[in-house]
Amino acid sequence: MKYVSTRKGFEATSAETVFQGLAPDGGLYVPSKVEKVEGLEKVATLREAEELVMNALFGDLPAEVRAAAADRLCARFPEGDPIPLVEKDGLQILELFHGKTGAFKDVALSMLPVFMKHAANGKRVLILTATSGDTGSAAMQGFAGVDGTEIIVFYPATGTSKIQRLQMTTPADKNVHAVGIRGNFDDAQAAVKRIFADKAIAAEAAAHGITLSSANSINTGRLVPQIAYYVLAAERLRKTGSQIPDFKCDVVVPSGNFGNILAAYYAKLLGSPIRKLVVASNVNDVLARFVKTGVYDPGEKFTVTNSPSMDIRKSSNVERLLWMISGGLEGDVAGACAETARMMSDLETKGRYELCEKAKARLLSDFVGGVATPEETEAEMRRMREACGYLLDPHTAVATVVARKLGYPKDGRPCVVAATATPYKFPETCQRAFGEDVLTDPPPSFRDLETLPIAQTKVCDIDKIDEAVKELF
């Protein structure tokens, strides 16, 4: 598989994209082509889905590396059904939260360390990661104790839930570090991207025998494994809905940095029977507005909400979508790169960008969006519990609110809702929503969190992030 960068079309192998994270032109790496694959209908397990997706998009990695990545994933999730698909109140809830940190990021971050170690080929790697709450803890757990790697996570010192903070501040492995920042996720993400683009910092790291990389979804090793769970969910439903002519399902994803719903889009491009992709936003509604209008305008307003992992205004993975719908999917690499570079320049200089008419038509044909307020989110958590005894976390509740507002499920087609986190990550919101403590059976990895000593205590201003990184050289 050949990858190209979104702004200048630089070519790279799968391993190179994993090792580099961000492309040299400041853009992201994308597969140069995505074709429908054979054998989708035979997929019955998450491992089989991962193997199919890796073969399609990471096929130039050695077979033993792909097998080792799948082995590590299966070993870190419950046996039998690691990502259950359960019907609740008419919706198909895809439970992606059964890993150690209770969030969907655990799937990909169980596999990324295997890809990274292969790609590093003996080199030392320092992984820089910005997080709005969930990626950080999953990345720390994924890379803890992995030889040749060190990871530093930057998270908002205020705005994350208590459990999210404990998951990042209690790990004591020598190669993992978490730093609270006085700012929000967008600030942290911008700083990390700037560091990746700074040749002087890269040279200083190299002088110490270190290469910088990322565990955010800007890294292909994060994105590719996520595609598999949408492949599996769609195939499970196709088997049960075989009586429906031209079977397709709709997919609703609570979206902040766009990587998770982009994975569902890739699943569709690979041939999964997916119809509409529904972007569910909280009141930081940049993405919902974008998929409705084709105009990306972060604006100045930022709100700390009860779905903190979605409190994001500038979403990295949208750039991959821009490239694909601006000619990349038709093989026009040069045209797609020029158009993507134009929009990224507009975002930097004008604070917004707009798709061309052809790209806008393609966006609107595949995506729809909607918004849930914090009040609607907590009301939905109560409603779902009363309707069927099911506990939603606030992010998944945003998705079910949007699904119902837009009339899903519709046309007799099933609707998959990505349940991106366990409610046990958000006890404060659950207490407020339900008016009582309903979180009575925490997952094993959550039970001792509040009794563990705090190992990560550093907090810094945004302009001190460079210094925090250099301390690890």
Side-chain angles (χ1 to χ4, degrees), residues 1-3 12-14 30-34 55-60:
M1 170 58 67
K2 182 176 74 175
Y3 282 77
T13 65
S14 299
V30 289
S32 59
K33 61 180 179 180
V34 183
N55 186 58
L57 299 178
F58 271 2
D60 57 340

Side-chain angles (χ1 to χ4, degrees), residues 59-244:
D60 57 340
L61 292 180
E64 61 270 22
V65 173
R66 287 179 273 141
D71 287 344
R72 195 169 192 264
L73 169 61
C74 293
R76 295 167 73 91
F77 271 74
E79 292 184 15
D81 193 358
I83 53 164
L85 186 65
V86 298
E87 184 172 356
K88 297 294 178 182
D89 202 30
L91 296 168
Q92 300 290 331
I93 308 295
L94 181 61
E95 295 184 345
L96 300 173
F97 52 73
H98 292 286
K100 188 170 184 179
T101 72
F104 76 94
K105 319 278 177 84
D106 287 323
V107 172
L109 283 162
S110 294
M111 301 176 74
L112 176 60
V114 177
F115 301 142
M116 185 67 74
K117 193 166 183 179
H118 165 74
N121 194 27
K123 299 183 179 73
R124 290 176 60 207
V125 182
L126 174 57
I127 296 162
L128 314 183
T129 297
T131 182
S132 56
D134 287 337
T135 291
S137 57
M140 292 171 78
Q141 288 292 339
F143 281 94
V146 175
D147 292 341
T149 65
E150 200 152 3
I151 182 167
I152 183 168
V153 167
F154 296 99
Y155 67 94
T158 59
T160 55
S161 77
K162 180 179 180 180
I163 295 297
Q164 287 176 314
R165 288 192 298 277
L166 287 172
Q167 287 181 326
M168 289 183 282
T169 56
T170 55
D173 301 83
K174 291 183 178 180
N175 71 323
V176 300
H177 313 274
V179 178
I181 61 162
R182 298 181 183 96
N184 58 44
F185 169 79
D186 290 329
D187 298 324
Q189 180 169 255
V192 167
K193 281 189 168 184
R194 177 183 52 74
I195 290 171
F196 280 131
D198 191 319
K199 293 182 180 179
I201 293 178
E204 188 174 345
H208 290 83
I210 294 171
T211 300
L212 303 180
S213 191
S214 173
N216 283 94
S217 53
I218 61 174
N219 194 308
T220 59
R222 261 286 308 277
L223 177 63
V224 168
Q226 294 177 222
I227 300 168
Y229 47 69
Y230 292 111
V231 169
L232 178 59
E235 289 310 316
R236 284 174 168 173
L237 291 173
R238 174 150 55 184
K239 289 177 176 65
T240 60
S242 57
Q243 74 282 2
I244 301 175

